Amino acid sequence: RVFEPTGKYDLIIATGVLYEQYDYQEMFSWIISHIAERGMVVTCNIKDWEKPLPFLEPVFKKEFPYRKYIQSLRVYKI
């Protein structure tokens, strides 16, 4: 049985899932429908593969090396 969270959340963390090979649109829709008003979304993904959240501008961005890649940390406020 798969656990499917319900409700609204003040904080959603999405790491390693906002890539083209995953169902990016479904993930984005889930985030938007489950984030509380004035909530925050934190993403951390490989920069070259990442699909940033559309229509949202990050309030904080940081990049750092990860093996042979660059990791991108972004914080969004709703």
Side-chain angles (χ1 to χ4, degrees):
R1 184 172 160 200
V2 176
F3 173 70
E4 177 66 33
T6 60
K8 299 282 185 174
Y9 300 91
D10 294 324
L11 173 65
I12 293 176
I13 300 171
T15 64
V17 294
L18 297 178
Y19 300 138
E20 192 70 41
Q21 64 264 41
Y22 300 120
D23 191 343
Y24 173 75
Q25 291 298 337
E26 183 179 341
M27 182 64 67
F28 175 68
S29 296
W30 190 93
I31 289 170
I32 292 303
S33 66
H34 288 84
I35 192 70
E37 187 177 327
R38 298 183 353 182
M40 295 178 72
V41 178
V42 177
T43 65
C44 195
N45 299 287
I46 294 173
K47 181 181 177 182
D48 290 342
W49 304 348
E50 176 182 38
K51 300 292 253 175
L53 297 175
F55 311 114
L56 295 175
E57 191 63 36
V59 295
F60 177 81
K61 292 193 264 186
K62 178 76 175 167
E63 294 179 356
F64 52 93
Y66 171 71
R67 298 183 182 169
K68 62 181 181 177
Y69 305 103
I70 299 295
Q71 195 78 1
S72 176
L73 171 69
R74 297 173 193 252
V75 178
Y76 301 87
K77 282 183 105 174
I78 306 302

